[in-house]
Amino acid sequence: MSLTLKLAAIYNILWGAWVVIFPDMFWDLVGMERLNQPMVWQGMGMVIGVYGLGYWWASYNPMRHWPIVAVGMLGKIFGPLGFVFNHAQGKVPFEFIYTLITNDFIWWIPFFLILKKVHTDYQWKLN
């Protein structure tokens, strides 16, 4: 659990910094039109980077700090749902799914396993 959260932290901090520092690079890499307001994308990068800090701190005691993992898991579920909803309405091109692979999908199983252990061994205690 601790290693998973440390890896998630490093990934999120690096991804967030990349998006903040180079806001157009993702769009160029996947061949999509650049945003006319890159500040919105940079704001997303900042949020993802802050998640990384939370994962790092939670890695020291994942059972105690499970709410951070739970919030992260919710984001990893709702982000792809938002993509599906917006893609179905023609608002987001399919190529945007590339960011979901590394930001969300690869973390579903490890985060689920952490939360399953919290449920089984810790019964969702907050103290």
Side-chain angles (χ1 to χ4, degrees):
M1 290 187 295
S2 187
L3 177 62
T4 294
L5 292 172
K6 279 190 174 24
L7 291 172
I10 292 166
Y11 170 78
N12 280 42
I13 292 167
L14 290 175
W15 191 91
W18 174 60
V19 167
V20 169
I21 297 167
F22 306 106
D24 295 325
M25 191 178 284
F26 170 76
W27 311 104
D28 294 344
L29 285 172
V30 298
M32 291 174 59
E33 183 178 333
R34 290 180 175 186
L35 298 176
N36 63 358
Q37 297 293 328
M39 180 178 69
V40 174
W41 185 241
Q42 290 172 307
M44 177 59 81
M46 182 273 306
V47 170
I48 299 299
V50 169
Y51 268 95
L53 295 175
Y55 297 151
W56 188 266
W57 294 323
S59 74
Y60 289 99
N61 190 340
M63 298 298 279
R64 180 166 189 243
H65 299 295
W66 66 264
I68 294 171
V69 180
V71 168
M73 184 69 176
L74 289 171
K76 290 172 187 331
I77 292 169
F78 292 136
L81 287 175
F83 165 76
V84 168
F85 179 75
N86 284 287
H87 178 65
Q89 294 182 353
K91 295 178 181 176
V92 178
F94 184 78
E95 291 80 8
F96 191 79
I97 201 166
Y98 297 130
T99 193
L100 301 179
I101 295 167
T102 55
N103 283 356
D104 301 308
F105 301 149
I106 66 169
W107 302 106
W108 281 1
I109 292 172
F111 276 45
F112 170 79
L113 292 173
I114 291 170
L115 294 173
K116 183 177 184 288
K117 184 163 180 60
V118 167
H119 173 71
T120 303
D121 297 357
Y122 213 62
Q123 288 78 46
W124 306 101
K125 292 178 187 168
L126 289 172
N127 55 2

